[in-house]
Amino acid sequence: MSRSMSALAAGAVLAGLVTATAPASAAPASYAVAAPTGTPTVASAAATATACVPDAVRLPALPSGPWTSGAVNGLGADGLAVGESRGLPAYWTADRTVHPVPLPAGFQNGSVTAVNAKGLMVGTLERSSDRAHAAFTYRAGDAAVRLLTGASAGTGAGDVNDAGRVVGMDAGTPKEWANGTVVRELPVPEDAHPGTRIVTVDGINKRGDVLGTAHTEYEDPENDRIVSKTFPVVWPAGGGYPPYSLPVWNETDWTTGTEASGIDDKGRVVGYEAENYRELRRRTPAVWKKPYDAPPAAPGPVTGYETLTFEAISPTTNVTVGAAATFVEGYARYVRAAYWPGTGSPLVLPNPAGASADVNTEARAVSDDDRVGGSFRDLLTLTDSAMIWTCASKQAYAPEK
């Protein structure tokens, strides 16, 4: 399970997030790039069952693509990582070879957003003619993706659990699929204000609890103001119980919203509150626990950084990752991949060996086997790469003040 977008880069739900895109880096010479055709081989567990070695690695990029982005969005078994490379959906096998996901006719770009322990990938594609989106599933070696939806606005895959349940948006409607068939539509919580809509579906855990983000906006004539609220929602597995509206710190200010980003197997939810007003950009990490009857806890920022987002939580180890940053004139600067073990102060992960000090890194996925996936940007050479940290707990550290 994973988070598909960085809070500092995406801006899909909370207004005011703008990011620039730099040219993607070439693959390091020591890594292989798979040909666009043929059947790749995923390394077996026996072949990769070696002692954990701490490392921070920039992964190779596809030879070409329409965009310059590169990121790991999800982590699977046997060293599998999924995400995007040069704007195309891609995955990396345990030997760190990059493989393209085949695009259907008429689609120009996309991303793999998540993968389960059995190798089932989910993602989102963009159509060339009108930039409409479609959700898909895929397994390594398949000749083609399986489209779950038609192409339309407000469509995209969010996550997949080990039972193969896929969650996402279909033309603005949140849905859950099993074996390619819709098994339920996800309703707005009964206690939500009329006009509330679900804007993203962000995760699903092993049991089948689904996590999303809702938004409502309406006039409050009594107080002469516009009320705007963005908040997480949890749909219990199976649909036998109504969804929860998770409490947030701010329920009325249009400049502030709270977005969900991950749910673990115990139902713990992580996300962040974001304030965007003119040049002000504030990000505060948030953690909720069942029964979701209290405002979230805030672990605090990383030492030396002003803001922190939580992007993903591991299924069972309570490890959360994200991005620490300081904003300058409304733009994120000095961005570092963040690692929080569930207690104490959040930490940061190291840059790859040989990297200059002028780099940004973000963490977007974390697994129970102590891997973290994310992205790397060299601000001097303007190069982007997908990244993997192995034995992340042994590398995370508190920066100096």
Side-chain angles (χ1 to χ4, degrees):
M1 293 175 284
S2 75
R3 176 73 170 151
S4 61
M5 289 187 180
S6 160
L8 297 175
V13 178
L14 305 178
L17 301 183
V18 179
T19 187
T21 304
S25 65
S30 59
Y31 297 146
V33 178
T37 58
T39 302
T41 300
V42 178
S44 66
T48 57
T50 58
C52 182
V53 178
D55 204 356
V57 181
R58 295 171 61 187
L59 297 175
L62 292 171
S64 62
W67 293 351
T68 59
S69 57
V72 170
N73 296 325
L75 298 165
D78 301 339
L80 184 65
V82 303
E84 60 185 87
S85 178
R86 299 193 190 274
L88 298 172
Y91 61 98
W92 293 263
T93 42
D95 59 359
R96 294 173 180 163
T97 299
V98 61
H99 305 269
V101 172
L103 290 177
F107 289 88
Q108 63 180 353
N109 55 267
S111 177
V112 183
T113 56
V115 62
N116 69 10
K118 299 177 181 178
L120 180 64
M121 307 177 203
V122 298
T124 304
L125 303 173
E126 183 176 89
R127 191 163 61 186
S128 310
S129 59
D130 56 4
R131 304 192 69 177
H133 294 91
F136 71 89
T137 61
Y138 180 75
R139 292 185 183 276
D142 287 352
V145 302
R146 180 181 188 177
L147 293 178
L148 296 177
T149 69
S152 64
T155 297
D159 202 359
V160 58
N161 69 4
D162 291 346
R165 294 295 183 111
V166 177
V167 292
M169 301 290 292
D170 183 6
T173 299
K175 295 181 179 180
E176 179 179 341
W177 292 263
N179 298 318
T181 301
V182 175
V183 293
R184 65 168 170 162
E185 294 187 1
L186 304 168
V188 172
E190 294 178 356
D191 61 354
H193 188 275
T196 298
R197 61 189 179 91
I198 306 302
V199 291
T200 62
V201 179
D202 307 286
I204 181 170
N205 63 13
K206 181 178 181 179
R207 192 176 72 168
D209 301 320
V210 180
L211 175 68
T213 300
H215 177 74
T216 187
E217 188 169 307
Y218 58 93
E219 292 187 13
D220 178 8
E222 183 177 340
N223 296 295
D224 191 26
R225 64 181 178 181
I226 299 294
V227 174
S228 179
K229 180 182 177 182
T230 304
F231 59 97
V233 175
V234 170
W235 294 270
Y241 296 91
Y244 297 92
S245 297
L246 274 59
V248 294
W249 295 305
N250 190 301
E251 297 191 351
T252 59
D253 187 354
W254 65 271
T255 69
T256 304
T258 304
E259 183 173 353
S261 58
I263 184 169
D264 74 0
D265 290 348
K266 291 185 177 181
R268 285 176 293 224
V269 171
V270 297
Y272 60 92
E273 181 185 77
E275 182 178 7
N276 302 289
Y277 183 69
R278 296 182 179 176
E279 293 184 353
L280 174 63
R281 298 290 187 269
R282 180 184 55 80
R283 306 288 183 267
T284 304
V287 181
W288 294 261
K289 294 182 180 179
K290 297 178 71 173
Y292 313 126
D293 57 356
V302 173
T303 300
Y305 293 82
E306 296 176 355
T307 72
L308 175 63
T309 63
F310 280 165
E311 298 293 326
I313 185 170
S314 62
T316 65
T317 59
N318 199 27
V319 174
T320 303
V321 297
T326 295
F327 283 85
V328 179
E329 297 181 348
Y331 293 91
R333 307 293 190 199
Y334 320 115
V335 184
R336 289 292 299 274
Y339 180 100
W340 185 52
T343 59
S345 299
L347 309 171
V348 295
L349 292 170
N351 294 330
S356 72
D358 296 304
V359 302
N360 285 346
T361 59
E362 298 180 32
R364 304 188 184 190
V366 57
S367 62
D368 283 344
D369 64 2
D370 209 13
R371 286 179 297 150
V372 172
S375 62
F376 170 97
R377 169 173 291 179
D378 190 315
L379 301 176
L380 295 180
T381 61
L382 297 179
T383 56
D384 288 351
S385 303
M387 270 209 67
I388 287 284
W389 290 265
T390 55
C391 294
S393 63
K394 297 181 179 180
Q395 301 190 68
Y397 67 96
E400 297 180 359
K401 294 184 178 180

